[in-house]
Amino acid sequence: MKDAHALLHQLSQQPIDLTKPGVLNAHRVTSMCVEACGLKLLYGTERIDDRVIDALERLAVQGNALQQMEAMQAGEKVNRIIGFQSENRSALHTAMRDQFGHTHNGIEARLYAEKAARELQKLKGFLDRIEGKFIDLVQIGIGGSDLGPRALAIALEAYHRPHHRVHFLSNVDPDDAAQVLRHLDLTKTIVVVVSKSGTTLETLTNEEIVRARFAKKGLNPKEHFVSVTGETSPMDDPSRYLESFYMWDVVGGRYSATSMVGGVALGFCLGYQGFCEVLKGAHEMDLHARSTPVRSNLPLLNALFGIWNRNYLKIPTLAMIPYSQALLRFPAHLQQLDMESNGKRIDHYGHPMSIQTGPVVWGEVGTNGQHSFYQLIHQGTDPISLEFIGFKESQYGEDMQVAHTTSQEKLLANLFAQSIALATGQASDNPNRVFPGNRPNRMVLAKRLDPYTMGALLAYYEHKVVFQGFLWQINSFDQEGVQLGKVLATKILSHFSTQRTKEKAEPFPVAESYLRQLDS
């Protein structure tokens, strides 16, 4: 059997030309579509044909993609660099949404599914106890403790219960805290502080700012603060928190939205059953990802198309464009999910990579982006690959006809038009009006963005990222790249503190020169 990489390289020399008349036709759109968990993946506007799909399938088989997904979900250690010090642990975010703990193979997977189920029951009791006492919830966290839960809470605002508002505080910038707290009635506010280690600098700083605000109002913070943290961490402290929910090292921050990291806030605003619907959608996508053959496996196909674009068509960036205002912050979550997971330069054995790994991921909601950066996407010098997300129906159902079409129809018309235009381009005698086309893109469609669909969509992208990591043979579950800046920031903070304590800080000439610029 010919090596898949060699075959794909050969095919990439003359990929299908989507600008040729008749290439992008109704049959291609209909046939290049797979469906699962209420989602449809349409990929007729990718620069692929049957030969490329055959080769990509061979790549997945040669890379044992499905076997690796099964092993991950069973609890095998996938978060490691062989032969070097590393986290050396499982990656069991999928166990967090197995509500009954019955569908995971592997002892460790079942163990964590059972732990997650206990936390879920604890959440149910907690939500019952606080019902009617609080109107606002503020979640304090950063990175994965903020982006995923925030994106989901915003996405599902149409399903929030009355008088159950959620807010998020992440940035150590003091203006963030001031803005979030500005109009809250603290007597009816509950605060969820999220840190696995219980030592995250930005989170603990913001917690103290918010605690001080409660104390200034004469309120006992202990009656308003909840922690989500590791067992036995400094934040697992009943003297300071009304309740503590647990998270574990086997769940990375960017994969944690369906754990208690997102569960407390989402349970508060959606209700317990609403959060369970998110878990159900995610869990059913988990089962689909690990057991479905390549050509029908939505996240695996998405991963393969991304590898084709990145490694063989040499496209370095990926734009995530949801045609849904509700998904306003979802591109930011996907940016972290993808770039923190697969922005790696070494393989599982510590060897430098000989091929490119994760793309630069960015995005904005449509149709807003059409009036912003689409100029570069359509006519810029560097092709950009795109992933679109769209829904047949709006969430609120509040729409009207203007010029004989509804707003939702206008939204979808723009989505379909952009996908077609990017693929087919436009010829013209006027060079300023030439659209080169062959801008590869794919599309996820669903009926409506509800809690179940949101859970399925979240897991779909999680598994796409993980499948790519498996095939690139990199570790998609650690994040050493964020550590160096943290260490240097701590050193610089010691220089700030010397101005107050007069204690001597470790010399750091370059940083000191930056600090002098503040006073010059």
Side-chain angles (χ1 to χ4, degrees), residues 498-512:
T498 58
Q499 299 175 20
R500 297 182 181 86
T501 64
K502 307 304 180 184
E503 294 178 5
K504 192 173 182 180
E506 179 184 348
F508 195 170
V510 175
E512 290 164 19

Side-chain angles (χ1 to χ4, degrees), residues 78-239:
V78 294
N79 179 0
R80 60 177 181 164
I81 302 297
I82 298 168
F84 294 89
Q85 183 177 352
S86 61
E87 293 181 339
N88 195 32
R89 60 175 71 118
S90 305
L92 282 170
H93 47 284
T94 54
M96 299 299 100
R97 47 253 195 163
D98 186 355
Q99 297 179 48
F100 306 105
H102 296 155
T103 58
H104 270 82
N105 300 321
I107 294 173
E108 188 167 14
R110 286 196 295 272
L111 171 66
Y112 280 98
E114 290 166 2
K115 287 184 175 184
R118 287 196 293 271
E119 291 303 296
L120 193 59
Q121 287 304 305
K122 187 198 297 185
L123 175 64
K124 184 177 187 298
F126 176 74
L127 293 173
D128 288 341
R129 291 199 308 275
I130 67 169
E131 183 60 32
K133 297 180 181 179
F134 302 104
I135 293 175
D136 291 285
L137 179 147
V138 176
Q139 176 148 326
I140 304 176
I142 197 166
S145 299
D146 169 74
L147 286 167
R150 187 195 294 250
L152 267 62
I154 293 172
L156 297 173
E157 191 169 332
Y159 301 91
H160 287 194
R161 298 184 296 159
H163 311 299
H164 288 76
R165 300 183 298 238
V166 290
H167 317 267
F168 292 86
L169 171 54
S170 59
N171 202 327
V172 78
D173 182 340
D175 287 341
D176 195 11
Q179 180 65 32
V180 169
L181 297 174
R182 192 180 183 101
H183 300 297
L184 296 182
D185 179 354
L186 297 187
T187 65
K188 297 179 180 179
T189 299
I190 190 166
V191 180
V192 181
V193 188
V194 185
S195 171
K196 186 185 299 181
S197 66
T199 61
T200 308
L201 177 63
E202 296 95 333
T203 298
L204 295 187
T205 298
N206 281 328
E207 179 183 6
E208 289 309 310
I209 289 172
V210 178
R211 280 184 178 271
R213 188 71 66 91
F214 274 83
K216 187 176 180 179
K217 290 284 186 180
L219 300 169
N220 179 3
K222 195 265 184 186
E223 299 302 321
H224 293 260
F225 277 64
V226 173
S227 69
V228 180
T229 191
E231 291 184 79
T232 74
S233 92
M235 284 171 48
D236 185 14
D237 184 353
S239 70

Side-chain angles (χ1 to χ4, degrees), residues 75 156 375 408 441 509:
L156 297 173
Q375 170 61 44
Q408 188 68 16
N441 65 87

Side-chain angles (χ1 to χ4, degrees), residues 438-497:
N438 280 321
R439 267 50 175 169
N441 65 87
R442 53 194 176 271
M443 185 185 308
V444 175
L445 291 179
K447 182 178 180 181
R448 182 190 298 113
L449 183 58
D450 57 23
Y452 173 90
T453 302
M454 187 69 251
L457 193 65
L458 176 75
Y460 164 74
Y461 282 110
E462 289 175 349
H463 294 315
K464 167 243 178 171
V465 167
V466 169
F467 272 130
Q468 287 184 335
F470 289 155
L471 293 171
W472 280 321
Q473 299 182 50
I474 59 176
N475 183 359
S476 298
F477 305 103
D478 68 0
Q479 56 280 331
E480 291 292 338
V482 306
Q483 302 305 322
L484 178 59
K486 289 182 179 181
V487 172
L488 295 180
T490 300
K491 283 187 177 182
I492 295 171
L493 280 171
S494 69
H495 285 266
F496 276 114
S497 68

